[in-house]
Amino acid sequence: MEKKPYSDRRWWEAPKAFDSACNSCTRYHGYAKCDTYPDGIPGVVIRQSALGTNNYKEDFCRDMQKKKA
């Protein structure tokens, strides 16, 4: 039996990148590091900062400081 290209479920269930609200903070340095978490932002906080998901919480970080536009 021949499979169609990209028909395997692993192509569609792989984790995707998402936009984190951390990106709009003045304390964020990139690569999941910031002034509050210099050794790396915990996974729980990263998941809660994912805009547009069910995990998003408005107060995901106690030290959030929005960048001025």
Side-chain angles (χ1 to χ4, degrees):
M1 185 163 101
E2 190 174 319
K3 283 188 167 186
K4 293 180 181 178
Y6 307 109
S7 63
D8 192 294
R9 68 180 175 83
R10 291 176 289 179
W11 282 98
W12 310 108
E13 293 178 0
K16 307 283 190 281
F18 61 87
D19 188 24
S20 170
C22 292
N23 294 338
S24 64
C25 182
T26 59
R27 298 173 178 266
Y28 186 66
H29 302 295
Y31 300 103
K33 296 189 190 268
C34 68
D35 294 338
T36 305
Y37 303 105
D39 295 327
I41 301 171
V44 173
V45 175
I46 291 288
R47 284 189 292 280
Q48 291 176 352
S49 72
L51 298 168
T53 65
N54 293 337
N55 297 328
Y56 180 73
K57 292 193 178 3
E58 192 73 34
D59 59 344
F60 67 91
C61 181
R62 66 184 183 273
D63 295 330
M64 177 75 167
Q65 292 181 354
K66 293 256 184 191
K67 292 179 184 175
K68 295 184 179 173

